[in-house]
Amino acid sequence: QVQLVESGGGLVQAGGSLRLSCAAAGSIFSINNMGWYRQAPGKQRELVAGFTTSGSTNYADSVKGRFTISRDNAKNTVVLQMNSLIPEDTAVYYCSATLRTTPSRPLIVYWGQGTQVTVSS
């Protein structure tokens, strides 16, 4: 059993900052990649920021220079620091991890329950 436990989010004024944290807990053998997605009302879920299998980072163009993703491999945790928030960042943010629970199991994508981020103008 694997769970992605998210924390952070909330309501903030434009220009403010928020910090999202996600910890992968349970029976985990290895994590290939981990990151954050978001889904605004009426829109498709999109990648915000994430770590690839090689350890490099990917950011959506709309958040480059404002958001920073970091990780703690020992704790299976990723943190998304969001600065200079704008109303367009309003969405439900989801943590995602692609991982194996044992060496012989295939890679499976897990999702957190989502956390609301609302940026007021």
Side-chain angles (χ1 to χ4, degrees):
Q1 187 83 12
V2 174
Q3 284 187 319
L4 301 186
V5 181
E6 301 162 342
S7 62
L11 173 64
V12 66
Q13 287 188 332
S17 298
L18 285 173
R19 183 174 181 269
L20 304 181
S21 181
C22 173
S27 179
I28 299 170
F29 171 73
S30 65
I31 298 178
N32 268 39
N33 51 57
M34 203 166 175
W36 287 94
Y37 288 72
R38 69 186 179 187
Q39 187 165 19
K43 294 187 177 181
Q44 290 188 331
R45 191 172 296 189
E46 63 174 355
L47 174 69
V48 178
F51 287 96
T52 67
T53 304
S54 64
S56 61
T57 54
N58 284 329
Y59 290 92
D61 287 343
S62 60
V63 307
K64 286 179 180 177
R66 300 187 297 121
F67 292 9
T68 302
I69 191 169
S70 60
R71 67 181 178 182
D72 183 335
N73 289 335
K75 296 181 179 179
N76 291 332
T77 299
V78 290
V79 172
L80 183 67
Q81 178 65 41
M82 305 184 293
N83 298 328
S84 302
L85 284 160
I86 59 178
E88 289 76 15
D89 294 320
T90 296
V92 178
Y93 284 67
Y94 297 90
C95 178
S96 175
T98 303
L99 57 87
R100 299 181 195 275
T101 55
T102 72
S104 59
R105 293 274 187 174
L107 288 168
I108 297 176
V109 180
Y110 290 85
W111 293 91
Q113 77 281 4
T115 184
Q116 178 70 45
V117 170
T118 302
V119 184
S120 63
S121 57

